[in-house]
Amino acid sequence: MTQQSFGVIGLAVMGENLALNVERNGFPIAVYNRSRDKTDVFMAERAQGRNVKAAYTLEEFVASLERPRKILIMVKAGSPVDAVIDQLKPMLDEGDIIIDGGNSLYEDTERRTRTLEPEGFRFIGMGVSGGEEGALNGPSIMPGGTKSSYQYLEPILTKIAAQVDDGPCVTYIGPGGAGHYVKMVHNGIEYGDMQLIAEAYDLLKNIVGLDHKQLHEVFAEWNTTDELNSFLIEITANIFPYIDPETNLPLVDLVLDAAGQKGTGRWTVQSALELGVSIPTIIAAVNARIISSYKKERVAASKILTGPQITKYDGDTKAFINMVRDALYCSKICSYAQGMALLSTASHTYNYGLNLSEMARIWKGGCIIRAGFLNKIKNAFKENPALPNLLLAPEFKQTILDRQTAWREILSIAAKSGIPVPAFSASLDYFDSYRSDRLPQNLTQAQRDYFGAHTYERIDKPGFFHTEWTPIAEKSV
């Protein structure tokens, strides 16, 4: 009996599309879904005429695969992944490869690796970015696990990944949960990117009064520039001209202003706090989604809490648009700098051995944060793998120095009109804090020593010191 090269468990949209992508690139596949009806529909419609073998039991599915078996699990993250693995294990042989392609928490991936590898199985935690279209036509793929396991998958993954000028958007990320960790941070950067774009839109709409057609034109023009050319800017430009057929109004204006989230942004924030890495733009983006969900409270508060009236900009509209563009780009650089700094710290802490230049390279295509300036990030870390922060790379440093006046002006205008720009503000605060040779945390340390005897260091001599502040303060009065 002819056996299939690759197996997929879970036929939701991402599972279906990845399965079809694998088959289209020359690898016969087997598929299994817990619901038989779902499998039947897939086989009758999208899989018709393709080299796809349907299985209706896990036993049948496992038996249909060539050794070593390569099985991609595409089910909901968390306990469902564990349940599928537990069901599979008795049917598998030593050396078979289990791949978790969902948005699993990296700590779960580490745990599964510690369990499965000693039992003789190979396990890969694989981040996949690009949504439905990317899964079908070429995503950015972030596989982590033992390198020998990746080598079995490399011929398939390099074919199904997005293809850019310098190769497929996939690379071996690192051991254990490295792949899912990198995907998590990718999503955190995505949160920051999306919030920054939303703030730029808010300013353009409310300060200079651009309508949906003008907003489309501005974002479409920005997407032609080296700085802002990206998937997220592209789809933003495409959103504005869409007219709701029921009301004949721009659909974006009818969308409820309460953003959802699935957890990866929150996980990024939690990890950064645990590792002691500053990511204020990403934190601001997560917070913005949270406070947006307080819709009823905000509507009620708007009737009670007053602030400044929005003042329409009375200067040159084009000049204002360009200032917003500059502020957006500077803030975007800060957001990516924070994400790369988090990856660097995690790499050293967890011994992932991440190549930051390669991380930027595989994000150039297929994924949600794909952007033209990722090539500059790739080159910055290629030229200096030990670069402590992206803000110090010569090109990015000069970009911000040249544009920071516009950035500061935009924040001033937003504050005077009472328009919240939490991610723009957090980015500028990050830049100003990072470039400061002295911050006011000397007072913080003095306070900590005052109430908790936590000690402090001095700038004029080495060592740790404690002071009985109250008697000294009393004597000096």
Side-chain angles (χ1 to χ4, degrees):
M1 180 179 71
T2 303
Q3 293 182 305
Q4 307 298 88
S5 300
F6 195 83
V8 177
I9 296 176
L11 292 176
V13 174
M14 288 293 288
E16 279 192 6
N17 285 352
L18 282 169
L20 293 173
N21 189 348
V22 172
E23 191 277 338
R24 188 182 68 248
N25 279 283
F27 303 95
I29 63 168
V31 297
Y32 170 79
N33 194 77
R34 187 176 59 174
S35 165
R36 183 186 182 105
D37 291 345
K38 181 68 175 172
T39 305
D40 288 338
V41 171
F42 177 65
M43 294 302 296
E45 296 178 0
R46 302 189 72 192
Q48 193 171 37
R50 297 176 179 270
N51 196 341
V52 180
K53 184 177 293 185
Y56 293 95
T57 67
L58 278 176
E59 291 83 357
E60 180 187 357
F61 171 79
V62 170
S64 70
L65 295 170
E66 66 185 20
R67 297 278 315 279
R69 300 178 181 94
K70 296 173 280 292
I71 299 172
L72 173 63
I73 299 173
M74 293 298 297
V75 301
K76 186 177 179 181
S79 58
V81 176
D82 290 319
V84 172
I85 291 173
D86 288 342
Q87 289 175 304
L88 278 173
K89 280 167 57 177
M91 309 172 199
L92 299 181
D93 296 305
E94 185 175 345
D96 286 347
I97 305 168
I98 301 170
I99 311 151
D100 174 14
N103 264 339
S104 288
L105 179 62
Y106 72 98
E107 292 172 332
D108 287 342
T109 304
E110 299 277 4
R111 169 178 55 79
R112 291 167 186 143
T113 300
R114 289 193 299 268
T115 301
L116 291 167
E117 294 282 346
E119 295 177 351
F121 305 114
R122 297 186 173 101
F123 184 66
I124 293 286
M126 188 171 79
V128 180
S129 179
E132 300 172 20
E133 182 183 348
L136 181 63
N137 297 313
S140 175
I141 306 175
M142 294 151 262
T146 56
K147 196 161 189 177
S148 61
S149 302
Y150 171 72
Q151 289 167 349
Y152 280 97
L153 300 173
E154 189 173 17
I156 298 174
L157 299 183
T158 53
K159 286 283 187 69
I160 70 169
Q163 307 293 317
V164 293
D165 58 346
D166 48 9
C169 293
V170 61
T171 190
Y172 172 68
I173 301 296
H180 277 137
Y181 192 94
V182 169
K183 175 57 164 58
M184 176 190 76
V185 175
H186 163 285
N187 285 23
I189 295 171
E190 177 186 312
Y191 274 54
D193 238 352
M194 293 174 71
Q195 178 62 25
L196 291 168
I197 292 170
E199 291 174 16
Y201 150 71
D202 200 11
L203 291 165
L204 294 173
K205 180 180 180 182
N206 289 302
I207 298 294
V208 292
L210 299 190
D211 63 22
H212 67 286
K213 291 180 181 178
Q214 292 167 315
L215 287 164
H216 163 73
E217 291 168 1
V218 168
F219 279 86
E221 181 185 344
W222 285 355
N223 196 46
T224 66
T225 65
D226 289 339
E227 298 95 339
L228 294 179
N229 167 251
S230 67
F231 173 70
L232 285 170
I233 294 290
E234 177 188 345
I235 68 169
T236 301
N238 292 341
I239 284 169
F240 290 123
Y242 190 96
I243 302 299
D244 174 44
E246 295 181 20
T247 63
N248 207 34
L249 295 171
L251 182 57
V252 68
D253 293 339
L254 301 174
V255 176
L256 185 70
D257 56 320
Q261 55 179 312
K262 291 189 174 180
T264 45
R266 183 178 72 252
W267 294 346
T268 305
V269 170
Q270 290 170 339
S271 178
L273 292 173
E274 289 167 358
L275 294 176
V277 180
S278 177
I279 58 165
T281 308
I282 297 170
I283 292 173
V286 174
N287 283 335
R289 293 198 189 190
I290 293 170
I291 201 166
S292 79
S293 69
Y294 303 166
K295 178 64 176 178
K296 290 182 179 179
E297 286 184 49
R298 290 189 291 110
V299 170
S302 70
K303 298 178 173 65
I304 302 168
L305 303 176
T306 59
Q309 292 293 314
I310 293 177
T311 303
K312 296 296 183 182
Y313 187 71
D314 58 5
D316 180 72
T317 298
K318 183 63 177 176
F320 183 85
I321 292 170
N322 288 340
M323 285 196 296
V324 173
R325 178 202 63 202
D326 289 348
L328 174 58
Y329 188 45
C330 289
S331 298
K332 185 183 179 84
I333 291 170
C334 288
S335 183
Y336 280 71
Q338 293 161 32
M340 300 308 279
L342 178 55
L343 287 179
S344 177
T345 299
S347 180
H348 288 105
T349 302
Y350 303 133
N351 297 313
Y352 285 156
L354 300 181
N355 181 329
L356 297 186
S357 178
E358 271 290 275
M359 299 307 100
R361 186 192 70 78
I362 66 170
W363 290 343
K364 286 170 56 178
C367 69
I368 303 302
I369 65 170
R370 60 185 184 266
F373 93 131
L374 277 162
N375 204 50
K376 297 178 181 179
I377 297 177
K378 180 198 81 169
N379 291 336
F381 284 107
K382 187 173 183 178
E383 291 168 8
N384 182 6
L387 183 69
N389 192 291
L390 198 61
L391 297 177
L392 301 177
E395 180 169 347
F396 292 117
K397 176 198 73 174
Q398 197 58 48
T399 292
I400 289 185
L401 294 181
D402 291 344
R403 302 181 189 214
Q404 64 174 304
T405 300
W407 194 10
R408 296 179 190 281
E409 180 65 17
I410 285 297
L411 264 67
S412 174
I413 292 170
K416 288 176 181 177
S417 288
I419 293 178
V421 283
F424 273 20
S425 300
S427 296
L428 182 58
D429 288 343
Y430 179 76
F431 171 72
D432 281 338
S433 295
Y434 192 71
R435 70 177 185 82
S436 296
D437 66 346
R438 187 160 176 83
L439 293 168
Q441 274 61 52
N442 56 313
L443 178 58
T444 304
Q445 278 301 97
Q447 291 169 332
R448 294 180 71 243
D449 188 56
Y450 189 114
F451 65 69
H454 292 293
T455 74
Y456 57 90
E457 294 176 273
R458 295 174 59 115
I459 62 174
D460 57 347
K461 54 185 176 182
F464 290 85
F465 301 87
H466 169 61
T467 296
E468 293 295 333
W469 296 87
T470 305
I472 293 176
E474 290 174 347
K475 290 175 184 177
S476 65
V477 174

